[in-house]
Amino acid sequence: IRKKGHLTIIEGMYQPTVEEDKKIYEKYKRWISEVEQTAAPPLKHLTLPETELLHKAKKFAMECSVQAVLTKKPIDVYSNMTEEQRIQQRERAVSLMCRVYVGSIHYDLTEEDLRKAFAPFGPIKGINLSWDTATLGKARSHKGYAFLEYNVAESAQLALDQMNGVMLGGKPLKCARPSNIPAALPLIKQITEEASTQPRIFVASIHQDLSESDIRSVFEAFGRIQAVLLSQDVMPGKHQGYGFIEYENLDSANDAVAAMNLFDLGGQFLRVGRAITPPQTMAQPEPVPPEIAAAAAAAAAASRAIAAQDEAVAVSRPRDQSH
């Protein structure tokens, strides 16, 4: 230790004075204050609703991640299958494509309301409306979502394209494919892409009084038609209100879809889209067993007889003189 003026030198190190210590301390405090002002605010504790939302967001992100991985799975895996396995896999995928998830359903709407809204796209095989088990009796209510299954995949695709966001009961519907089919998405995508390259279209909401020749005469305005097939009903001479049309070229099919969708034909708005069902299913339908056809015809005749009796009773009933 040695002295040099007002400085004290200790082993060659500089020892500041008291005034210099104060200046250094003031600079340190200013630096700390600037750091605190620029630093991010501390995280607050989440409330219970915020914690639940965060948990749902994490779960949704995980589902999206898994779905993205499965979607990127190469479609080449199907090339390792036998022809029979590929056909079976494709049939399963087409069967899954017949299903539609419908959300944001108003609680006052019933299963019959959904059936009326989605019936124009084709016959509905079933509607599974999610009922709330906590409500019983007449006050029983549903949870606001349902699963629909159509007879054919084309009906489901049209419903997805045209019913998503449609107002029903004062609320916009949310239509999508069920989320539990991620493994089939690659094949579904392949089937959809293949359908866009084929000159086949699907037509729904066809009036019962229209025949195959009527449909051909209307749609042949867009090009030469190779085949028209209306799906036959169990009742002889009746169809199920939908069918397929195959053109000679793709441009004709594209023009027909663009021009005839929602076209008023016979008092009903046609629903027209791409044909997804494999071409072999456009062959003539299997014949209806005679006993089923006879039973259906008898039921129809009985219904007409009852309706005629009701109409006769209504006509013969005297009018109310009070009006």
Side-chain angles (χ1 to χ4, degrees), residues 20-82:
E20 290 174 332
D21 282 338
K22 290 181 179 181
K23 292 179 180 180
I24 295 172
Y25 179 69
E26 292 297 331
K27 289 183 180 180
Y28 173 74
K29 287 203 305 182
R30 287 196 300 270
W31 178 76
I32 291 296
S33 177
E34 292 175 357
V35 171
E36 290 178 349
Q37 292 177 1
T38 57
L43 295 176
K44 67 174 184 177
H45 293 287
L46 298 178
T47 62
L48 183 59
E50 291 174 339
T51 304
E52 292 178 354
L53 290 175
L54 179 61
H55 177 70
K56 291 181 180 179
K58 290 181 178 179
K59 184 179 179 181
F60 177 73
M62 180 63 70
E63 292 177 353
C64 291
S65 177
V66 173
Q67 185 172 350
V69 171
L70 292 174
T71 303
K72 293 178 180 179
K73 188 177 180 180
I75 200 68
D76 294 339
V77 295
Y78 300 104
S79 62
N80 298 326
M81 300 180 181
T82 63

Side-chain angles (χ1 to χ4, degrees), residues 14 26 50 97-98 108-109 116 135 153 168 170 181 193 200-201 213 229 233 236 246 284 304 320:
Y14 171 71
E26 292 297 331
E50 291 174 339
M97 293 175 70
C98 296
D108 292 338
L109 297 179
K116 290 180 180 179
T135 58
L168 188 63
I181 57 171
E193 292 176 350
R200 294 179 291 111
I201 65 173
S213 60
L229 174 64
D233 198 355
E246 184 171 0
Q284 292 298 325
R304 289 194 296 269
D320 190 351

Side-chain angles (χ1 to χ4, degrees), residues 125-189:
K125 186 181 297 185
I127 299 178
N128 184 10
L129 190 59
S130 60
W131 293 101
D132 190 353
T133 56
T135 58
L136 300 173
K138 294 183 179 180
R140 189 182 183 190
S141 62
H142 56 79
K143 297 180 181 180
Y145 68 91
F147 294 93
L148 278 69
E149 185 174 1
Y150 284 95
N151 285 358
V152 293
E154 288 82 358
S155 299
Q157 186 62 51
L158 283 175
L160 290 173
D161 296 338
Q162 301 184 23
M163 290 300 291
N164 187 40
V166 171
M167 299 293 293
L168 188 63
K171 292 181 65 177
L173 296 177
K174 295 181 180 178
C175 300
R177 297 197 187 278
S179 60
N180 59 346
I181 57 171
L185 288 179
L187 187 52
I188 290 176
K189 181 180 179 181

Side-chain angles (χ1 to χ4, degrees), residues 278-292:
Q280 57 267 25
T281 61
M282 291 185 61
Q284 292 298 325
E286 296 182 359
V288 180
E291 59 273 12
I292 296 180

